[in-house]
């Protein structure tokens, strides 16, 4: 497996957010972590990114232990997080945000090429390239957060709630783009409360409940699982 998360325990003070979470992501996969509010999905992603230190457990990427690595080194290995809730640099322009995404790269000469590619994927960003990011719509900010992450040339994208706060039409559009990004060779670990959308594009999924994995399997099987349907798909 490309990314292996083993028995993670994370607490915020007295709150035990993760109680032994394990999951794996294979090269080329889209893996979804679904579950209710507070299940521990975001905590899992942030621990993989190195933003939170687990009390115990291990994370390996391509066989390398990354559990104690600082976030920028983890990005340097090819794992990049697209944060939840439109966390773009609001006082910078679209172009500046994309340039920041390439900050850790050494091959500066190809950065311009990659900005072009981001604009091909997200034409709306090109139209707004000199606009301050704080003035973009929610959907555009989500696109920018994705574009900025792509600028680091990630091998794995860790996506936190890409559908959050977006109108249904835009959610469809964003998920179509996620699928396309995956098809062009990027592995994706996706955290979503919108289980329906997540299961529609994922190859495999994990269901988290109060800090534990309670179900895992091919996304299609989970989508047909009566318990999942009742709890997460509103059926
Ligand atoms: P959401 O979709 O609401 O983000 P989630 O599944 O991503 O939910 P987490 O955000 O990982 O869940 O939260 C897991 C648990 O840890 C919850 O009980 C939450 O209240 C708690 N928690 C998360 N962040 C903190 C924090 N910074 N300080 C204290 N408790 C936290």
């Amino acid at each position: 497996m490309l990314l292996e998360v083993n028995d993670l325990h994370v607490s915020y003070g007295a709150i035990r957010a993760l109680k032994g979470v394990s999951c794996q992501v294979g090269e080329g996969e889209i893996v979804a972590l679904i579950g209710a509010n507070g299940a521990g999905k975001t905590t899992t992603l942030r621990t993989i990114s190195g933003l939170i230190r687990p009390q115990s457990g291990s994370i390996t990427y391509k066989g390398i232990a990354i559990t104690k690595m600082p976030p920028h080194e983890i990005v340097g290995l090819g794992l990049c997080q697209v944060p939840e809730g439109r966390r773009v640099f609001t006082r910078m322009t679209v172009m500046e945000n994309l340039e920041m995404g390439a900050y850790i790269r050494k091959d500066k000469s190809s950065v311009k090429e990659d900005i072009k590619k981001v604009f091909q994927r997200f034409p709306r960003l090109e139209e707004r390239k000199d606009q301050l990011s704080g003035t973009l719509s929610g959907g555009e900010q989500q696109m920018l957060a994705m574009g900025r992450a792509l600028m680091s040339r990630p091998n794995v994208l860790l996506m936190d709630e890409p559908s959050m706060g977006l109108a249904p039409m835009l959610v469809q559009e964003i998920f179509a783009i996620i699928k396309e990004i995956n098809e062009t060779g990027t592995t994706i670990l996706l955290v979503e409360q919108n289980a329906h959308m997540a299961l529609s594009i994922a190859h495999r999924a994990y269901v988290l409940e109060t800090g534990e994995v309670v179900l895992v399997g091919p996304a299609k099987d989970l989508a047909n699982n009566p318990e999942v349907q009742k709890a997460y798909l509103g059926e």
Side-chain angles (χ1 to χ4, degrees), residues 81-122:
Q81 181 159 353
V82 182
E84 170 178 38
R86 313 158 186 182
R87 296 261 176 82
V88 293
F89 303 117
T90 52
R91 286 158 192 258
M92 291 185 183
T93 64
V94 166
M95 191 60 133
E96 287 163 348
N97 267 272
L98 294 177
E99 286 163 359
M100 287 299 284
Y103 172 73
I104 60 145
R105 277 172 52 178
K106 302 204 169 64
D107 53 334
K108 298 292 180 202
S109 56
S110 46
V111 167
K112 279 210 175 77
E113 262 321 290
D114 286 2
I115 290 179
K116 255 193 221 154
K117 283 189 199 149
V118 169
F119 285 156
Q120 277 165 7
R121 190 162 261 145
F122 302 103

Side-chain angles (χ1 to χ4, degrees), residues 10-18 33-46 52 84 160-161 164 191-193 208 210-211:
V10 173
S11 297
Y12 300 102
I15 298 168
R16 294 176 63 205
L18 302 186
L33 299 182
I34 62 173
N37 241 323
K41 305 179 301 294
T42 298
T43 301
T44 304
L45 267 204
R46 290 174 59 86
I52 296 175
E84 170 178 38
D160 197 356
E161 302 266 3
M164 193 160 84
V191 158
E192 255 301 336
Q193 273 201 52
L208 254 68
T210 56

Side-chain angles (χ1 to χ4, degrees), residues 5-58:
V5 171
N6 245 312
D7 200 22
L8 280 190
H9 288 257
V10 173
S11 297
Y12 300 102
I15 298 168
R16 294 176 63 205
L18 302 186
K19 301 177 240 176
V21 167
S22 299
C23 59
Q24 285 103 36
V25 183
E27 178 100 53
E29 276 192 310
I30 299 180
V31 172
L33 299 182
I34 62 173
N37 241 323
K41 305 179 301 294
T42 298
T43 301
T44 304
L45 267 204
R46 290 174 59 86
T47 309
I48 296 170
S49 309
L51 297 167
I52 296 175
R53 292 277 167 244
Q55 270 71 44
S56 62
S58 66

Side-chain angles (χ1 to χ4, degrees), residues 45 82-86 138-139 141-143 146 158-167 170-171 174-175 178 188-194 197-198 201:
L45 267 204
V82 182
E84 170 178 38
R86 313 158 186 182
Q141 289 188 359
Q142 180 61 49
M143 290 174 192
M146 287 163 71
L158 306 166
M159 305 201 64
D160 197 356
E161 302 266 3
S163 79
M164 193 160 84
L166 301 184
L170 259 176
V171 173
I174 294 284
F175 273 76
I178 296 172
I188 292 173
L189 177 60
L190 173 73
V191 158
E192 255 301 336
Q193 273 201 52
N194 186 336
M197 283 311 297
I201 65 161

